[in-house]
Short mmCIF file of all heavy atoms in Angstrom, two decimals:
data_model
loop_
_atom_site.label_atom_id
_atom_site.label_comp_id
_atom_site.label_asym_id
_atom_site.label_seq_id
_atom_site.Cartn_x
_atom_site.Cartn_y
_atom_site.Cartn_z
N LYS N 52 -36.13 2.30 -9.40
CA LYS N 52 -35.55 1.18 -10.14
C LYS N 52 -35.69 -0.11 -9.31
O LYS N 52 -36.02 -1.16 -9.84
CB LYS N 52 -34.08 1.48 -10.43
CG LYS N 52 -33.51 0.63 -11.53
CD LYS N 52 -32.16 1.16 -11.95
CE LYS N 52 -31.60 0.29 -13.08
NZ LYS N 52 -30.29 0.75 -13.50
N MET N 53 -35.43 0.03 -8.00
CA MET N 53 -35.55 -1.14 -7.12
C MET N 53 -36.99 -1.66 -7.13
O MET N 53 -37.24 -2.87 -7.23
CB MET N 53 -35.13 -0.75 -5.69
CG MET N 53 -35.23 -1.86 -4.67
SD MET N 53 -36.86 -1.98 -3.92
CE MET N 53 -36.89 -0.51 -2.91
N MET N 54 -37.98 -0.75 -7.08
CA MET N 54 -39.38 -1.17 -7.05
C MET N 54 -39.79 -1.85 -8.35
O MET N 54 -40.65 -2.71 -8.36
CB MET N 54 -40.28 0.03 -6.73
CG MET N 54 -40.12 0.48 -5.29
SD MET N 54 -41.35 1.71 -4.78
CE MET N 54 -40.58 3.20 -5.30
N ASP N 55 -39.14 -1.43 -9.44
CA ASP N 55 -39.45 -2.04 -10.74
C ASP N 55 -38.78 -3.39 -10.93
O ASP N 55 -39.26 -4.23 -11.68
CB ASP N 55 -39.01 -1.11 -11.89
CG ASP N 55 -39.95 0.07 -12.06
OD1 ASP N 55 -41.07 0.01 -11.52
OD2 ASP N 55 -39.56 1.05 -12.71
N THR N 56 -37.62 -3.57 -10.28
CA THR N 56 -36.84 -4.78 -10.57
C THR N 56 -36.82 -5.79 -9.43
O THR N 56 -36.26 -6.87 -9.59
CB THR N 56 -35.38 -4.41 -10.91
OG1 THR N 56 -34.84 -3.64 -9.82
CG2 THR N 56 -35.30 -3.60 -12.19
N ILE N 57 -37.43 -5.46 -8.30
CA ILE N 57 -37.35 -6.35 -7.14
C ILE N 57 -37.99 -7.72 -7.43
O ILE N 57 -37.62 -8.72 -6.82
CB ILE N 57 -37.99 -5.70 -5.88
CG1 ILE N 57 -37.55 -6.45 -4.64
CG2 ILE N 57 -39.50 -5.61 -6.00
CD1 ILE N 57 -37.85 -5.76 -3.35
N VAL N 58 -38.91 -7.76 -8.37
CA VAL N 58 -39.53 -9.04 -8.76
C VAL N 58 -38.46 -10.03 -9.22
O VAL N 58 -38.54 -11.23 -8.97
CB VAL N 58 -40.56 -8.81 -9.90
CG1 VAL N 58 -41.16 -10.10 -10.37
CG2 VAL N 58 -41.66 -7.87 -9.43
N GLY N 59 -37.40 -9.50 -9.83
CA GLY N 59 -36.33 -10.36 -10.34
C GLY N 59 -35.28 -10.69 -9.30
O GLY N 59 -34.36 -11.46 -9.58
N TYR N 60 -35.39 -10.12 -8.09
CA TYR N 60 -34.40 -10.41 -7.03
C TYR N 60 -34.64 -11.81 -6.50
O TYR N 60 -35.73 -12.12 -6.02
CB TYR N 60 -34.52 -9.37 -5.91
CG TYR N 60 -33.68 -9.71 -4.69
CD1 TYR N 60 -32.29 -9.69 -4.76
CD2 TYR N 60 -34.29 -10.08 -3.49
CE1 TYR N 60 -31.53 -10.02 -3.66
CE2 TYR N 60 -33.53 -10.41 -2.39
CZ TYR N 60 -32.15 -10.38 -2.47
OH TYR N 60 -31.40 -10.73 -1.38
N ARG N 61 -33.62 -12.67 -6.62
CA ARG N 61 -33.78 -14.08 -6.24
C ARG N 61 -33.05 -14.43 -4.95
O ARG N 61 -32.98 -15.59 -4.58
CB ARG N 61 -33.29 -14.98 -7.37
CG ARG N 61 -34.11 -14.87 -8.64
CD ARG N 61 -35.36 -15.74 -8.58
NE ARG N 61 -36.26 -15.47 -9.70
CZ ARG N 61 -37.28 -14.64 -9.65
NH1 ARG N 61 -37.56 -13.97 -8.52
NH2 ARG N 61 -38.06 -14.43 -10.69
N GLY N 62 -32.43 -13.43 -4.33
CA GLY N 62 -31.76 -13.68 -3.06
C GLY N 62 -30.38 -14.30 -3.20
O GLY N 62 -29.87 -14.89 -2.25
N GLU N 63 -29.76 -14.17 -4.38
CA GLU N 63 -28.40 -14.72 -4.55
C GLU N 63 -27.42 -13.97 -3.64
O GLU N 63 -26.44 -14.55 -3.15
CB GLU N 63 -27.92 -14.57 -6.01
CG GLU N 63 -28.72 -15.36 -7.02
CD GLU N 63 -29.86 -14.56 -7.63
OE1 GLU N 63 -30.18 -13.47 -7.10
OE2 GLU N 63 -30.44 -15.02 -8.63
N ALA N 64 -27.66 -12.69 -3.44
CA ALA N 64 -26.83 -11.87 -2.54
C ALA N 64 -27.78 -11.25 -1.51
O ALA N 64 -28.99 -11.16 -1.77
CB ALA N 64 -26.15 -10.77 -3.34
N PRO N 65 -27.24 -10.84 -0.34
CA PRO N 65 -28.13 -10.17 0.63
C PRO N 65 -28.78 -8.95 -0.02
O PRO N 65 -28.17 -8.30 -0.88
CB PRO N 65 -27.17 -9.75 1.75
CG PRO N 65 -25.98 -10.61 1.59
CD PRO N 65 -25.87 -10.94 0.13
N PHE N 66 -30.00 -8.66 0.39
CA PHE N 66 -30.75 -7.58 -0.26
C PHE N 66 -29.98 -6.26 -0.19
O PHE N 66 -29.93 -5.50 -1.16
CB PHE N 66 -32.13 -7.42 0.38
CG PHE N 66 -32.90 -6.29 -0.23
CD1 PHE N 66 -33.51 -6.42 -1.47
CD2 PHE N 66 -33.00 -5.05 0.41
CE1 PHE N 66 -34.19 -5.37 -2.06
CE2 PHE N 66 -33.68 -3.99 -0.16
CZ PHE N 66 -34.28 -4.15 -1.40
N GLY N 67 -29.35 -5.99 0.99
CA GLY N 67 -28.61 -4.72 1.16
C GLY N 67 -27.50 -4.58 0.14
O GLY N 67 -27.31 -3.50 -0.45
#
Side-chain angles (χ1 to χ4, degrees):
Chain N
K52 198 169 181 181
M53 179 273 289
M54 289 190 274
D55 285 344
T56 56
I57 196 168
V58 177
Y60 172 68
R61 295 277 171 264
E63 296 92 347
F66 178 77

